[in-house]
Amino acid sequence: MSSSSKEPEASDGLKTFGAVLKSFRKRAGLTQEELANEVGCSSHFLASIEQGRRFPPPGFVDRCEAALDAFGTLRLAANQLSRKPGIATWFRQWALLEQEAIALYTYECRLIPGLLQTPAYARSLFANRLPPLSDEQIEEQLTARMERQRLLTERPNTAYSFILEEHLFLRHTGGHDVTMELIDHVLELAERRNIEVQIMPVVRPKHAGLAGPIQLLETPEHKWFAYAEGQRSGQLISDPKEISVLQMRYAKMRAQALSFEDSVSLLEQMRGAR
């Protein structure tokens, strides 16, 4: 996910918000662990926000406001923040929802999802984009993508499911070495208890996902959202009827794809074919 437009850096604003949050936390006599437990996030995630390294999602800000009795100060400070470059305008709302999701399901048939990409694979995608990106734009987008991947380690209680088409690895985007590194990376991530990776074989007579990629997530309030992306635009979906259809298709694909164990075995075979 990317943006071709330049935007002001958010580092100073994020650091200011983090300092304000830390000040109210200390005023309330809470440690990072205690506040994190109260607002439903990890202490590492809270520390990242206090250090100005993460953008605070709206739900997080609201819960901190209530927990710290901050008189609306945190909301006001959050509203003044600007975004870092590197994330497409249409993707931002989904990216914020991702930061608090308790379940995130992704089916991809075009490319390896951003959350699973290695720097070399991502750089190859950016280098092949048209119109061409400048070196600065590539670095901005690579930084944003790697930052977003912290979700996988900072939210160990979030259930991640990925259904990936086998041909995404067979294409060898970026070359043989990049693909081998990518397979190693995906296998390493699949060792985490909260991450499930399934491969959809090239030959599969019945396939419920032929209409395109699917992204679904569940919020802490148990509300579901979906996201659909095209070449240069994206759509956040909140209509329960539309989400029900996508959930039905995703559930069917989980049965049609290889099991987790067989998927890992297939990736290990690919990795061995050096």
Side-chain angles (χ1 to χ4, degrees):
M1 312 307 169
S2 59
S3 173
S4 58
S5 61
K6 294 284 292 178
E7 298 183 86
E9 285 287 347
S11 56
D12 289 343
L14 286 174
K15 288 178 181 177
T16 298
F17 177 86
V20 172
L21 174 59
K22 183 177 181 179
S23 176
F24 273 101
R25 175 177 61 77
K26 288 192 170 183
R27 169 181 170 271
L30 298 175
T31 65
Q32 286 183 339
E33 290 77 10
E34 289 169 338
L35 179 58
N37 289 333
E38 192 162 342
V39 301
C41 70
S42 70
S43 57
H44 187 72
F45 181 79
L46 177 61
S48 294
I49 291 179
E50 286 193 354
Q51 294 163 12
R53 295 189 290 109
R54 294 295 297 268
F55 200 95
F60 170 85
V61 175
D62 290 340
R63 290 193 293 275
C64 285
E65 273 284 349
L68 300 176
D69 191 21
F71 317 109
T73 305
L74 292 176
R75 289 194 190 95
L76 180 62
N79 289 338
Q80 302 303 312
L81 292 175
S82 59
R83 302 275 182 195
K84 288 183 178 180
I87 297 181
T89 303
W90 64 79
F91 186 70
R92 289 176 186 155
Q93 192 172 0
W94 178 261
L96 285 175
L97 289 170
E98 273 188 335
Q99 292 187 36
E100 296 194 299
I102 62 173
L104 184 65
Y105 300 161
T106 303
Y107 162 66
E108 257 298 352
C109 55
R110 306 164 304 177
L111 75 171
I112 299 298
L115 288 175
L116 301 180
Q117 293 174 10
T118 61
Y121 181 90
R123 189 182 294 278
S124 177
L125 295 179
F126 296 143
N128 283 283
R129 184 160 296 169
L130 293 173
L133 301 176
S134 67
D135 290 345
E136 182 183 3
Q137 287 174 317
I138 289 176
E139 291 306 314
E140 287 174 352
Q141 296 187 20
L142 183 60
T143 297
R145 183 150 302 179
M146 295 303 105
E147 172 72 16
R148 179 171 163 246
Q149 289 184 0
R150 292 189 184 192
L151 290 172
L152 296 178
T153 55
E154 292 183 357
R155 296 194 62 80
N157 299 119
T158 296
Y160 295 96
S161 168
F162 297 93
I163 300 176
L164 311 175
E165 291 288 343
E166 181 182 359
H167 68 75
L168 298 180
F169 298 95
L170 299 176
R171 183 176 292 144
H172 280 210
T173 299
H176 179 269
D177 291 344
V178 171
T179 300
M180 293 301 104
E181 180 190 33
L182 176 67
I183 292 174
D184 286 339
H185 179 62
V186 172
L187 284 171
E188 182 179 348
L189 290 173
E191 293 177 359
R192 293 180 172 272
R193 290 188 298 275
N194 63 323
I195 299 177
E196 181 178 68
V197 176
Q198 291 182 260
I199 304 299
M200 184 70 77
V202 171
V203 179
R204 181 59 82 204
K206 295 182 179 181
H207 193 319
L210 295 180
I214 294 174
Q215 292 194 67
L216 294 159
L217 68 73
E218 183 182 8
T219 71
E221 296 76 32
H222 305 295
K223 182 174 177 60
W224 284 86
F225 289 92
Y227 178 75
E229 186 174 73
Q231 286 275 331
R232 292 180 55 78
S233 64
Q235 178 185 10
L236 182 68
I237 302 168
S238 58
D239 183 345
K241 292 182 180 179
E242 291 296 320
I243 292 173
S244 176
V245 171
L246 296 178
Q247 287 175 322
M248 189 183 306
R249 293 178 182 178
Y250 196 89
K252 188 68 172 180
M253 278 192 289
R254 292 183 90 164
Q256 294 170 333
L258 297 178
S259 69
F260 172 74
E261 291 76 16
D262 288 344
S263 297
V264 168
S265 178
L266 177 59
L267 289 174
E268 290 175 339
Q269 292 175 32
M270 290 183 182
R271 182 181 59 181
R274 295 181 184 272

